[in-house]
Amino acid sequence: MLNIVLVEPEIPHNTGAVARTCAATGARLHLVRPLGFDISDKAVKRCGLDYWPLVDLTVYENLDEYFEKNGDEDLFLATTKAPRAYSEADLSGTNVTLMFGKETAGLPLWLREKYRENCIRIPMIDEARSLNLSNSVAILAYETLRQQGFPGLLGVGEMAQA
């Protein structure tokens, strides 16, 4: 199982795109408060997020609650400050967790230091500050699923029958 954790996400469209990636891949989505938006049923329906029922979602009050309920086994932190690229990480475990920080500040320093060996980055040019959060989630989610052999996902489309 792939777990995607967003710590204090601020932009609703990013989280909506991440939720759609989770729906399409069967990944679990974990949101750590505070959230910069409303995720009530009414708000989700108003945004036309018809895939939201496909998302296995859990919301936590803070990181302490998240770690208390989930632990930290096979945890990887996505950060532009990481010492190595994601392509160097072994993401092939059966229960991998990818953690991402809020759009304006990333993950807190104390957390990056605690899990320094599990920090990974997406390579980019020096002048670029970062990628969009939802793009980063998609890149790392699909790399994880690739390393796992795309468990439970369709490998071919309808053109395969022609």
Side-chain angles (χ1 to χ4, degrees):
M1 173 61 63
L2 174 59
N3 295 281
I4 303 295
V5 181
L6 302 183
V7 178
E8 301 179 10
E10 300 167 312
I11 302 173
H13 292 23
N14 282 339
T15 301
V18 170
R20 188 174 198 128
T21 297
C22 289
T25 60
R28 288 186 189 123
L29 178 58
H30 306 263
L31 302 178
V32 179
R33 293 185 191 274
L35 309 178
F37 45 86
D38 179 14
I39 59 166
S40 66
D41 285 341
K42 183 179 177 184
V44 167
K45 287 176 185 167
R46 188 171 54 243
C47 291
L49 303 179
D50 59 341
Y51 53 84
W52 201 257
L54 298 175
V55 179
D56 182 354
L57 173 68
T58 306
V59 180
Y60 305 89
E61 288 304 314
N62 51 47
L63 277 169
D64 289 338
E65 180 185 5
Y66 170 80
F67 283 114
E68 180 181 303
K69 291 183 176 176
N70 298 285
D72 62 2
E73 189 172 340
D74 280 333
L75 172 68
F76 294 88
L77 283 67
T79 173
T80 60
K81 297 156 183 68
R84 65 183 174 140
Y86 72 86
S87 56
E88 299 173 40
D90 180 2
L91 304 170
S92 64
T94 57
N95 200 31
V96 170
T97 298
L98 301 173
M99 184 175 280
F100 301 82
K102 61 182 165 183
E103 292 91 339
T104 58
L107 292 167
L109 176 62
W110 71 264
L111 189 62
R112 294 190 321 255
E113 286 300 325
K114 181 173 181 176
Y115 296 101
R116 182 180 195 79
E117 296 304 312
N118 288 22
C119 287
I120 55 176
R121 65 176 276 121
I122 299 169
M124 63 188 90
I125 64 171
D126 193 34
E127 296 81 13
R129 187 176 72 248
S130 65
L131 289 170
N132 174 277
L133 175 62
S134 61
N135 292 337
S136 297
V137 170
I139 290 167
L140 295 182
Y142 271 92
E143 172 62 12
T144 302
L145 293 167
R146 183 193 69 78
Q147 288 188 28
Q148 295 173 348
F150 297 110
L153 302 183
L154 297 175
V156 298
E158 65 184 45
M159 292 174 66
Q161 280 95 36

